[in-house]
Amino acid sequence: QVQLVESGGGSVQAGGSLRLSCVVSIYDWRTDISSFSLGWFRQAPGKERTGVAGIDDHGVTNYADSVKGRFTISRDRAKNTVYLQMNNLKPEDTALYYCAAVSRDVPIAGLLAEMWFDYWGQGTQVTVSS
């Protein structure tokens, strides 16, 4: 019913920038995407998947401490797309980045917790070299 497709990953040097995009497609006319909360998660090799940034249907955002001041999440309702602008990238940001969605509002802390999300993309790789 809901499909998420990420793009925008790649390889950059430390200090560089990337913008990830995630298009959310809904195949059930009864589902209103405007009510969705959206998030970005990442998983580095050998590590658990962790929350990076999230945005609820009111535009409230939450960020992991490690990315505050460097990453910005935003959504374009007209395009059914959520973005993650990543600036001043560091080697430790290297990971597979996933987009996630859930068709309800979640607590602010929940925006970084994968247990709250029902739909997931396949991921896009970000590699930052020193």
Side-chain angles (χ1 to χ4, degrees), residues 14-34:
S17 298
L18 285 173
R19 187 177 80 156
L20 305 183
S21 301
C22 173
V23 177
V24 183
S25 300
I26 299 175
Y27 300 99
D28 183 345
W29 63 270
R30 295 164 294 182
T31 302
D32 180 11
I33 191 174
S34 64

Side-chain angles (χ1 to χ4, degrees), residues 44-120:
K47 296 187 177 181
E48 293 185 351
R49 187 159 57 185
T50 59
V52 176
I55 184 167
D56 71 9
D57 62 335
H58 303 292
V60 176
T61 59
N62 195 9
Y63 296 91
D65 288 342
S66 59
V67 306
K68 283 180 181 177
R70 300 188 298 122
F71 290 11
T72 303
I73 188 171
S74 61
R75 63 192 296 170
D76 185 329
R77 296 180 186 276
K79 296 182 179 180
N80 288 354
T81 301
V82 59
Y83 303 99
L84 185 67
Q85 177 65 45
M86 305 185 294
N87 298 328
N88 190 23
L89 283 160
K90 303 177 180 180
E92 51 264 42
D93 294 319
T94 295
L96 188 60
Y97 283 71
Y98 296 91
C99 176
V102 59
S103 59
R104 63 182 182 273
D105 209 0
V106 302
I108 294 177
L111 292 172
L112 299 180
E114 61 177 287
M115 61 176 287
W116 285 92
F117 290 83
D118 296 327
Y119 307 103
W120 293 84

